[in-house]
């Protein structure tokens, strides 16, 4: 995740006017995902950062809701059981969750699929970002999809970036833990980097989770 998309814990507490204790209580209650606590080295040692937009939005919602419902009830709202999500193809298209192009790419490899679970929708939404950017071809979209299907499970819910580079016209896709820095040889080009965590939150909002 790029530096400007992060906010330090100190800045977060100051902006939102919450305490250290509140923040970590909400973490224990699963109101704030573990993967949002990003450790980075600094001149003072190690500092905690968060994805800026996601954490500011989450804290605002918690503060608005917590007077009306319990923290446990909030946790069920913010951390739904994603494994139970399943949508038929028609519903996916009607709700504009992912494009027909992304669905077609997925179905080319999974011909029997007429409905999709959350992670399948997530993979297609990430592919959508690459294709809609205008920077990645359909073949590279297939490469992104294949990479996600084979490797995303290894990250066990932790934030990662999906990275596509190209050298001499040949695409290479890989996943990287966040935070990260990418250095590539001069003959290779960074096509696009997509934050999977942002895609998860966007997808959950589209499905009203």
């Amino acid at each position: 995740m790029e530096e400007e998309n992060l906010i330090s814990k100190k800045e977060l507490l100051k902006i939102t006017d919450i305490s250290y204790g509140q923040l970590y209580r909400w973490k224990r209650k699963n109101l704030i995902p573990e993967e949002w606590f990003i450790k980075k080295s600094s001149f003072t040692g190690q500092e905690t950062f968060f994805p800026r937009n996601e954490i500011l939005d989450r804290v605002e919602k918690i503060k608005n809701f917590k007077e009306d419902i319990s923290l446990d009830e909030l946790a069920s709202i913010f951390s739904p059981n994603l494994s139970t999500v399943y949508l038929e193809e028609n519903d996916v298209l009607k709700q504009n969750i992912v494009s027909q192009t992304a669905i077609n790419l997925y179905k080319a490899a999974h011909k029997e699929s007429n409905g999709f679970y959350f992670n399948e929708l997530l993979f297609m939404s990430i592919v959508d970002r690459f294709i809609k950017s205008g920077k990645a071809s359909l073949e590279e979209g297939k490469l992104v999809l294949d990479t996600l299907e084979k490797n995303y499970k290894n990250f066990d819910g932790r934030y990662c970036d999906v990275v596509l580079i190209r050298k001499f016209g040949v695409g290479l896709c890989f996943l990287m833990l966040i935070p990260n820095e990418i250095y590539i040889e001069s003959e290779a080009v960074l096509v696009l980097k997509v934050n999977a965590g942002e895609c998860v939150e966007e997808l959950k909002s589209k499905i009203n989770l």
Side-chain angles (χ1 to χ4, degrees):
M1 187 175 292
E2 302 297 333
E3 192 72 34
E4 60 268 22
N5 291 331
L6 296 176
I7 183 172
S8 70
K9 180 169 63 180
K10 181 179 180 180
E11 185 182 0
L12 173 67
L13 299 181
K14 181 178 180 181
I15 289 176
T16 59
D17 193 29
I18 62 172
S19 68
Y20 178 96
Q22 282 178 300
L23 177 65
Y24 281 86
R25 185 183 180 208
W26 294 345
K27 177 187 178 184
R28 289 194 301 274
K29 287 287 188 178
N30 296 318
L31 298 178
I32 300 175
E34 174 74 34
E35 60 267 21
W36 287 12
F37 289 73
I38 300 169
K39 302 291 186 181
K40 294 189 69 173
S41 297
S42 67
F43 65 92
T44 57
Q46 196 174 60
E47 194 170 351
T48 300
F49 291 82
F50 302 86
R52 177 180 291 273
N53 295 335
E54 289 90 337
I55 190 67
L56 291 176
D57 179 66
R58 180 61 57 86
V59 169
E60 181 181 0
K61 287 179 178 176
I62 294 172
K63 291 172 72 175
N64 288 338
F65 291 148
K66 72 184 181 70
E67 299 301 326
D68 301 316
I69 60 178
S70 70
L71 294 184
D72 288 333
E73 289 173 314
L74 270 178
S76 68
I77 294 173
F78 292 137
S79 303
N81 185 358
L82 300 180
S83 65
T84 64
V85 173
Y86 181 84
L87 293 177
E88 296 289 339
E89 180 177 341
N90 287 340
D91 293 326
V92 172
L93 291 171
K94 284 179 184 177
Q95 296 178 47
N96 197 31
I97 293 172
V98 297
S99 70
Q100 184 69 67
T101 300
I103 289 176
N104 290 345
L105 281 179
Y106 185 84
K107 292 184 71 174
H110 305 272
K111 300 186 186 301
E112 301 302 319
S113 296
N114 292 310
F116 311 103
Y117 290 99
F118 186 85
N119 269 8
E120 295 171 316
L121 293 168
L122 173 61
F123 297 164
M124 286 187 281
S125 69
I126 293 173
V127 169
D128 253 346
R129 284 207 182 189
F130 280 92
I131 294 174
K132 289 179 178 179
S133 72
K135 299 178 180 179
S137 67
L138 289 179
E139 284 301 314
E140 288 170 332
K142 293 178 184 177
L143 174 64
V144 170
L145 179 60
D146 183 64
T147 303
L148 285 164
E149 290 189 310
K150 291 179 178 176
N151 299 287
Y152 186 74
K153 61 182 180 294
N154 296 323
F155 288 82
D156 193 28
R158 293 172 294 172
Y159 262 41
C160 69
D161 281 331
V162 186
V163 183
L164 179 66
I165 64 173
R166 190 184 298 130
K167 180 178 179 181
F168 301 138
V170 178
L172 173 66
C173 181
F174 54 93
L175 310 184
M176 296 181 65
L177 275 177
I178 295 174
N180 60 57
E181 295 181 8
I182 300 175
Y183 301 93
I184 57 177
E185 58 180 300
S186 59
E187 293 175 334
V189 176
L190 175 62
V191 179
L192 192 64
K193 182 171 67 168
V194 171
N195 182 279
E198 291 177 1
C199 292
V200 168
E201 296 304 313
E202 180 182 341
L203 181 57
K204 285 164 63 177
S205 67
K206 286 183 176 180
I207 306 176
N208 297 319
L209 294 177

